[in-house]
């Protein structure tokens, strides 16, 4: 594999990301004492930082790899929404199709961190499904974009915050099939079996256990092939791509199946790793259609971002170096 050429080809790929965008707020501080008011630590704040999260982090990783990215979501008409829209725009993510609603809050996850340990998380969000009017408006924007831009792949990033309703998912997959657009998904429990006919279905091991109601005590290739078979019966999808945490990843398409081990890492924070994995898997598959290659590269990418605290986009140069070192 010529990885230099592959990474250059990423710039030719147009990607749509559809799902729940979030603002990740980090409050960094230090703890010297316990509060006299209650048995809780007092965090003296040193600094704060705003980052792009959720579906926005998937888009951020794709832009870091060089792709042309449009994002589709619904945010609140609030200060958090304005800040998130500006962060996305500043990161070269096209937000022209985002819908702003006075009926919803923009999701904001506030993390309080001391000595690289998360002390607390505060969530401000709306999790009810989109209204019929909002759903129709988002679908119209996606239809317009696909007709106009003809993207190679559309990624669903589902965090169960209400943007991806079952009917919207069904309509988008149907449209993509008609237009020859690949579809990939990082699912969550609520809509787990709504993604019928998707090209790549990427749950993690916990989501598979919950979705199929399996104990899955032994995690090996034979048991994972059985999982793929069970998923295929429900979804009729093309590729199962299951992340296994420290055990690596598993991928299967028809009779081709591979379990790839993880690489040794100094893990600092796993948040956002799934976003990086689905971004890399989607763009590599769009360019190569090679399931083993996309799984191996996504496996490396997920480990790399786990070495950073908080959600972070992949470093393209370092990622390229590691692919050459580990996969050539």
């Amino acid at each position: 594999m010529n990885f230099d050429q592959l990474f250059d080809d990423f710039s030719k790929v147009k990607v749509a990301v559809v799902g729940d965008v979030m603002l990740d707020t980090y409050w960094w501080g230090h703890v010297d004492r316990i509060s006299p008011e209650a048995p809780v630590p007092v965090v003296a704040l040193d600094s704060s930082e705003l980052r792009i999260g959720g579906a926005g982090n998937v888009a951020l990783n794709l832009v870091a790899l060089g792709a042309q990215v449009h994002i589709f979501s619904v945010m609140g008409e609030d200060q958090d929404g304005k800040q998130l829209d500006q962060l996305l725009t500043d990161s070269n993510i096209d937000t022209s199709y985002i819908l702003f609603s006075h009926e919803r809050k923009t999701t904001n996850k506030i993390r309080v961190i001391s000595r690289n340990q998360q002390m607390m998380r505060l969530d401000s969000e709306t999790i009810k499904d989109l209204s019929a009017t909002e759903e129709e408006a988002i679908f119209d924007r996606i239809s317009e974009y696909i007709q106009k831009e003809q993207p190679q792949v559309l990624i669903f990033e589902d965090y169960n915050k209400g943007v991806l309703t079952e009917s919207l998912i069904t309509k988008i997959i149907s449209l993509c099939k008609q237009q020859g657009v690949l579809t990939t998904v990082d699912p969550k429990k609520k809509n787990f079996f709504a993604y019928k006919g998707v090209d790549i279905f990427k749950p993690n091991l916990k989501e598979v256990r919950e979705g199929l109601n399996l104990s899955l005590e032994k995690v090996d290739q034979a048991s994972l092939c059985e999982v793929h078979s069970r998923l295929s019966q429900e979804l009729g999808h093309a590729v199962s791509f299951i992340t296994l945490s420290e055990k690596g990843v598993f991928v299967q398409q028809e009779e081709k199946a591979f379990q790839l081990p993880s690489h040794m890492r100094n893990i600092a924070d796993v948040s956002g790793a799934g976003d990086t994995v689905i971004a890399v898997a989607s763009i590599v598959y769009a360019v190569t259609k090679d399931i083993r290659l996309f799984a191996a590269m996504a496996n490396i990418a997920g480990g790399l971002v786990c070495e950073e605290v908080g959600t972070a986009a992949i470093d393209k140069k370092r990622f390229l170096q590691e692919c050459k070192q580990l996969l050539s």
Side-chain angles (χ1 to χ4, degrees), residues 5-30:
Q5 183 60 57
L6 174 59
F7 275 62
D8 285 344
D9 288 343
F10 290 159
S11 63
K12 303 171 188 174
V13 181
K14 293 181 180 179
V15 188
V17 179
V18 184
D20 305 297
V21 293
M22 305 177 192
L23 186 64
D24 283 338
T25 302
Y26 292 88
W27 290 347
W28 307 85
H30 60 276

Side-chain angles (χ1 to χ4, degrees), residues 2 9 20 22 38 42 94 101 115 119 121 134 146 157 168 178 181 183 197 204 252:
N2 183 339
D9 288 343
D20 305 297
M22 305 177 192
V42 175
D94 193 304
S101 170
R115 295 181 182 175
M119 308 290 292
R121 198 179 86 185
E134 290 167 338
I146 288 176
E157 183 61 26
L168 181 59
Q178 292 169 20
V181 179
T183 50
N204 60 34
Q252 183 168 356

Side-chain angles (χ1 to χ4, degrees), residues 95-114:
T95 64
S96 56
Y97 293 100
I98 282 183
L99 183 67
F100 290 87
S101 170
H102 67 275
E103 297 179 3
R104 303 181 72 85
K105 291 180 184 176
T106 301
T107 299
N108 187 357
K109 294 183 177 182
I110 302 170
R111 296 170 175 89
V112 181
I113 298 173
S114 176

